[in-house]
Amino acid sequence: MGERTSDAFEPLPTPVTAPAYELAPVGLCTLDPQRRILACNRHFRSLIAAAEAELIGTALGTWLPGADAVLDRLAEPIAAKEADLTIERDDGRHVLRFAAARLDDGVSLAVTDVTPVVEAHVALRRAVERSSFALDVAGQWVWDYDIVANRVWRSQQWKRALGYAPGELADQDEPWRIVHPSDRKTVQAAMAQIHAGTRSDFEATYRLRHKDGSWRFILSRGKVVDYTPDGRPARMLATSVDITLQKEVERELEATIRQRRVLEHDLIVANRRLRLLAEIDSLTELPNRRKFDKCLEREFRRSRRERPSIALAMIDVDYFKSFNDLYGHQAGDDCLRAVAEALQQVARPSRDIVTRYGGEEFAAIFVDLDAAEALSIAGRMVEAVARLAVPHRGSPFGVVTICIGLTLFSFGQQRRLRTPYQLVQAADRALYVAKEAGRSQIALASPLEDGRFETRLIGRDASAAPIG
């Protein structure tokens, strides 16, 4: 090993005494110009794992391969004051940190085992890398808010989340300057509770502008971690996450729900219209047979519960077949529409129901009246159709007329009636009697105590007919 120039090392600042040298908590040794060990303390012997007798006079490189290269680096004029050497021992890999000082006749060397420190730094670096990766993947960043100074430090993830390079935006800034103007009241309201001392945790959703000009929805959550001596909040740590995608999904879901509600409403309206159409006769626009059956069933149940009276009229257009044969089906349809309108005008609004029962036959339900009132309505219906004066050469009356079969039901008078169709049968029989009597007549079927009906002809002038 060649001679070393003595000006390659810094002079030892102060001499050391023998006891301090031996008991020093770092490994110390003295080397001659050939880097042979002249003296060493017990900590150094422990690091080398050798006895003093074995070490003295031997080259340092014999015990620590690579030490010469480290000393060469430390001898360079611009070298750092310390350098590390990694060695393999039976108990694993160790990192030794060297510091050298020049002596007149050699080198004074301090050696420290910094393995735990290096391992801690490596673990910390890996933890930082993992957390940074996790934050990047999650689109999150950490921020530290100095509440007193109203300044914030943000981790680099916030720039990446908003599309910026690390050097494009200031790391420290007034915290809410970057928030969408419409959302600042939201965050200020959340912070107001912290300033007032009513809360120590922070949560707010607001928008930040992306580099591409779009606005990103951000969810921030934080907690006060430090207070001033007088108890006011001084510092808050928080995290933020980009929830734009979630907001877009929520908006799409809300739009879908709104659309579904509109469709459901339209469907309900359409179903109601269909039901209405299904219960309306398309020719006369009166309720049809289906609607008649429902109304009769409803009123019959009500009469048994509340005990009002029900009158049922079966109405037939006289000689209608011959009318069609003489004037044609179009004229027949016009005739039925005119008769329907006349009957509807006589009926009491919101109380009576006039329906087209089928063909040239109509049916009407009158509620909450007595026999005299029912006969009066039936008589006015006969008169109303006659006043239409629709010509009919096939009728002995010369105009279109109707006949009516009428029946009346009252729960207090007749307890034997079980179904509403018994009323229909009774009114049909009365209608038959009216037809047989020469048409343009009214016949009444009155219930008896034994459950049967007594049918009698009333005639054309129902107002003059005796009741009872």
Side-chain angles (χ1 to χ4, degrees):
M1 202 172 289
E3 291 286 339
R4 300 279 174 172
T5 58
S6 60
D7 60 353
F9 299 94
E10 296 178 3
L12 190 66
T14 56
V16 295
T17 61
Y21 186 87
E22 178 65 18
L23 300 177
V26 297
L28 301 175
C29 76
T30 305
L31 306 178
D32 66 11
Q34 287 74 41
R35 296 179 179 171
R36 290 175 297 197
I37 301 172
L38 299 178
C40 59
N41 68 355
R42 65 178 185 178
H43 198 77
F44 181 85
R45 295 191 293 273
S46 175
L47 292 174
I48 304 302
E52 184 177 16
E54 298 177 275
L55 294 172
I56 299 303
T58 61
L60 179 63
T62 303
W63 301 97
L64 296 175
D68 288 329
V70 172
L71 291 174
D72 288 342
R73 291 202 305 273
L74 291 173
E76 295 175 1
I78 59 173
K81 296 183 181 298
E82 295 179 341
D84 291 342
L85 173 65
T86 301
I87 63 171
E88 298 288 344
R89 289 191 351 193
D90 293 341
D91 58 350
R93 179 174 294 185
H94 286 254
V95 179
L96 303 181
R97 182 156 296 169
F98 285 71
R102 183 183 58 138
L103 299 176
D104 291 338
D105 55 352
V107 176
S108 177
L109 188 66
V111 183
T112 308
D113 188 346
V114 294
T115 303
V117 175
V118 172
E119 290 177 345
H121 285 173
V122 171
L124 179 61
R125 187 182 70 253
R126 289 176 179 172
V128 170
E129 290 174 350
R130 284 195 296 268
S131 62
S132 178
F133 177 75
L135 289 171
D136 282 341
V137 171
Q140 292 193 24
W141 64 84
V142 178
W143 46 286
D144 188 339
Y145 178 29
D146 185 338
I147 300 175
V148 176
N150 196 33
R151 306 289 290 179
V152 65
W153 171 90
R154 303 180 182 93
S155 63
Q156 289 296 313
Q157 281 79 11
W158 79 284
K159 297 180 181 179
R160 286 194 286 271
L162 297 179
Y164 292 95
E168 286 191 84
L169 295 175
D171 292 333
Q172 295 195 29
D173 195 5
E174 189 276 322
W176 314 123
R177 185 183 62 81
I178 62 175
V179 174
H180 191 288
S182 299
D183 298 338
R184 289 177 187 170
K185 288 184 179 180
T186 301
V187 294
Q188 288 167 355
M191 283 303 303
Q193 298 182 62
I194 291 178
H195 285 298
T198 57
R199 295 189 64 169
S200 62
D201 58 312
F202 169 86
E203 180 173 333
T205 300
Y206 48 86
R207 286 165 290 175
L208 300 181
R209 186 185 290 277
H210 194 273
K211 187 177 180 180
D212 63 11
S214 65
W215 289 95
R216 313 291 293 181
F217 280 94
I218 306 300
L219 171 62
S220 293
R221 290 190 177 101
K223 190 172 184 64
V224 177
V225 296
D226 196 12
Y227 292 85
T228 62
D230 59 356
R232 292 182 293 110
R235 180 167 162 254
M236 182 175 75
L237 289 179
T239 61
S240 294
V241 60
D242 187 340
I243 60 169
T244 304
L245 180 59
Q246 176 184 331
K247 282 289 186 181
E248 290 175 352
V249 172
E250 288 177 358
R251 284 199 296 267
E252 291 176 1
L253 180 60
E254 289 172 357
T256 301
I257 292 173
R258 286 195 300 269
Q259 185 179 16
R260 179 180 175 181
R261 287 174 179 167
V262 171
L263 291 174
E264 287 177 347
H265 176 265
D266 292 345
L267 182 60
I268 291 171
V269 171
N271 285 336
R272 286 174 180 170
R273 187 176 294 114
L274 286 174
R275 285 197 300 269
L276 181 62
L277 292 174
E279 295 177 345
I280 295 296
D281 174 58
S282 59
L283 177 64
T284 63
E285 297 185 357
L286 291 177
N288 59 16
R289 170 73 177 273
R290 179 180 180 182
K291 181 67 173 180
F292 168 81
D293 291 341
K294 289 174 62 175
C295 291
L296 181 61
E297 180 72 32
R298 182 191 67 217
E299 294 301 328
F300 185 78
R301 288 197 305 268
R302 189 170 73 90
S303 71
R304 298 183 68 87
R305 183 175 62 253
E306 301 176 8
R307 305 190 177 187
S309 59
I310 301 175
L312 173 62
M314 301 301 291
I315 306 165
D316 193 73
V317 179
D318 297 329
Y319 306 107
F320 188 73
K321 183 179 183 305
S322 64
F323 185 93
N324 270 337
D325 293 340
L326 287 168
Y327 301 102
H329 289 287
Q330 182 61 52
D333 290 346
D334 293 340
C335 175
L336 291 176
R337 280 192 286 266
V339 170
E341 185 176 355
L343 297 177
Q344 184 80 332
Q345 288 178 351
V346 173
R348 298 170 300 174
S350 74
R351 298 181 65 186
D352 303 330
I353 176 172
V354 178
T355 68
R356 186 184 180 192
Y357 197 74
E360 70 273 22
E361 193 170 6
F362 297 86
I365 302 172
F366 312 130
V367 297
D368 301 332
L369 41 57
D370 57 23
E373 292 171 320
L375 284 170
S376 175
I377 294 175
R380 292 201 303 274
M381 285 182 169
V382 171
E383 292 172 0
V385 173
R387 280 198 303 270
L388 292 174
V390 177
H392 187 357
R393 296 194 310 272
S395 168
F397 307 107
V399 293
V400 171
T401 58
I402 60 172
C403 55
I404 298 177
L406 185 66
T407 188
L408 189 69
F409 166 70
S410 173
F411 184 80
Q413 297 173 349
Q414 175 53 266
R415 299 173 182 270
R416 295 180 180 271
L417 213 57
R418 293 290 179 263
T419 70
Y421 301 105
Q422 291 174 269
L423 288 173
V424 176
Q425 293 171 352
D428 262 337
R429 285 195 294 269
L431 180 61
Y432 178 78
V433 170
K435 285 182 177 182
E436 289 296 308
R439 314 291 175 95
S440 190
Q441 302 276 351
I442 300 172
L444 175 64
S446 303
L448 302 175
E449 288 297 328
D450 61 1
R452 293 178 299 118
F453 284 84
E454 178 186 32
T455 303
R456 57 194 176 92
L457 186 66
I458 301 299
R460 293 184 178 87
D461 187 6
S463 62
I467 304 301

